[in-house]
Amino acid sequence: MPLSGDGKRFTRILRVADYECDIHNRMKLSAILRHMQEISSAHLDALDVPYSLLLEHRQVFLLSKVDLQIYRRPQSSEMVQMATTPKVPAGAQFIRHNEMQDAEGNLLLEAETAWMLVDTDQHQILRPAEFIGDLRYTEADASPIARRRLTAPPVQKVGERAIRFSELDVNDHLNNAVYADICMDFLPETELRTCETAAFYIHFRREARCGDVLQIERGEYEPGSYYLRAEKPEGCCFEAALRLEKR
């Protein structure tokens, strides 16, 4: 069954589609984020707290942070299992542990995600006690992603990125998975052709809306380890760190 008996773990089997893969025939970073978003929503559905019910109570979950470690990206047509498990909240942050395994049970990737519950009318962050559903948490320490902050190296502007209507989601914001594509598009192409993504961290600070033009800045911690930041007139839109390793 997808939902464990205690309701704490939700799993699903999926087949990697061709359109989710890059030039190396491996699942794109943005596709990984989409599946993490989808399984989190599917878990809420299984707990009888679908998106429609949240909206009736003027609540919505917005993704705040992703901390992803990749051991091997699955390839086209590969069958994999994804799993998500809520962890004890850290303050107002709802924490989830997500993982993907191959058909033999080998761990392909794992991630911590931090979500904020927001009042859709007042646009205010709600506390976990105000959530209308019943999430059953594991007792694992949730603090690493909750406390993590990026230190920026020296940066320079590497371009700008306009937000288009087709990239918006049901919240009328740029969908969180698209941010991963933006990050990849502003890394050196020669490295993307010869390297694998080993780690990705992103902190969403301000939503991006249709018509916004993001100013993209990039710095380097060390060879293959990059920092990216997107600025808009109101301030920072997102910060990200990405580590590449030679194939």
Side-chain angles (χ1 to χ4, degrees), residues 23-107:
I23 63 170
H24 304 296
N25 202 33
R26 300 286 180 178
M27 183 180 279
K28 295 178 182 178
L29 188 59
S30 58
I32 294 172
L33 265 62
R34 285 190 178 94
H35 283 296
M36 288 196 296
Q37 174 184 333
E38 178 62 24
I39 196 171
S40 299
S41 296
H43 186 201
L44 292 178
D45 289 345
L47 295 173
D48 297 322
V49 197
Y51 181 82
S52 57
L53 183 61
L54 284 173
L55 282 185
E56 288 179 20
H57 290 79
R58 302 185 302 279
Q59 294 185 357
V60 66
F61 277 109
L62 298 179
L63 187 60
S64 174
K65 302 174 188 173
V66 177
D67 193 355
L68 171 66
Q69 303 295 318
I70 302 174
Y71 311 114
R72 180 179 72 81
R73 289 186 298 142
Q75 62 187 15
S76 175
S77 300
E78 187 170 355
M79 302 299 296
V80 298
Q81 175 179 274
M82 286 205 69
T84 186
T85 307
K87 299 170 69 173
V88 174
Q93 298 180 75
F94 289 77
I95 311 298
R96 281 182 175 272
H97 178 79
N98 303 278
E99 62 184 39
M100 181 185 289
Q101 297 179 351
D102 65 14
E104 286 71 45
N106 299 307
L107 186 62

Side-chain angles (χ1 to χ4, degrees), residues 73-210:
R73 289 186 298 142
Q75 62 187 15
S76 175
S77 300
E78 187 170 355
M79 302 299 296
V80 298
Q81 175 179 274
M82 286 205 69
T84 186
T85 307
K87 299 170 69 173
V88 174
Q93 298 180 75
F94 289 77
I95 311 298
R96 281 182 175 272
H97 178 79
N98 303 278
E99 62 184 39
M100 181 185 289
Q101 297 179 351
D102 65 14
E104 286 71 45
N106 299 307
L107 186 62
L108 300 178
L109 58 89
E110 58 185 336
E112 302 291 298
T113 56
W115 300 77
M116 308 301 286
L117 184 66
V118 177
D119 183 308
T120 57
D121 285 348
Q122 302 298 321
H123 303 286
Q124 294 178 343
I125 295 173
L126 302 174
R127 307 296 293 183
E130 298 176 89
F131 176 51
I132 64 168
D134 179 22
L135 275 179
R136 300 166 190 179
Y137 310 111
T138 65
E139 297 299 324
D141 179 22
S143 61
I145 190 172
R147 294 195 303 259
R148 184 173 179 184
R149 297 291 185 274
L150 290 178
T151 300
V155 299
Q156 62 180 7
K157 182 179 176 180
V158 290
E160 59 184 31
R161 174 60 154 75
I163 306 305
R164 304 303 186 193
F165 180 82
S166 62
E167 299 170 320
L168 306 181
D169 61 17
V170 69
N171 298 311
D172 203 16
H173 303 160
L174 181 68
N175 183 266
N176 66 75
V178 181
Y179 290 86
D181 284 333
I182 292 175
C183 290
M184 299 297 282
D185 287 341
F186 285 95
L187 293 177
E189 180 183 344
T190 53
E191 292 198 42
L192 295 177
R193 289 184 175 276
T194 59
C195 296
E196 270 292 330
T197 305
F200 177 69
Y201 172 85
I202 187 166
H203 185 181
F204 304 97
R205 293 189 171 275
R206 286 179 176 83
E207 69 270 13
R209 296 182 178 273
C210 186

Side-chain angles (χ1 to χ4, degrees), residues 216-235:
I216 310 298
E217 301 171 338
R218 189 182 75 206
E220 196 169 3
Y221 293 112
E222 59 185 17
S225 183
Y226 292 96
Y227 169 87
L228 295 114
R229 181 170 65 214
E231 294 285 346
K232 50 187 290 187
E234 299 86 347

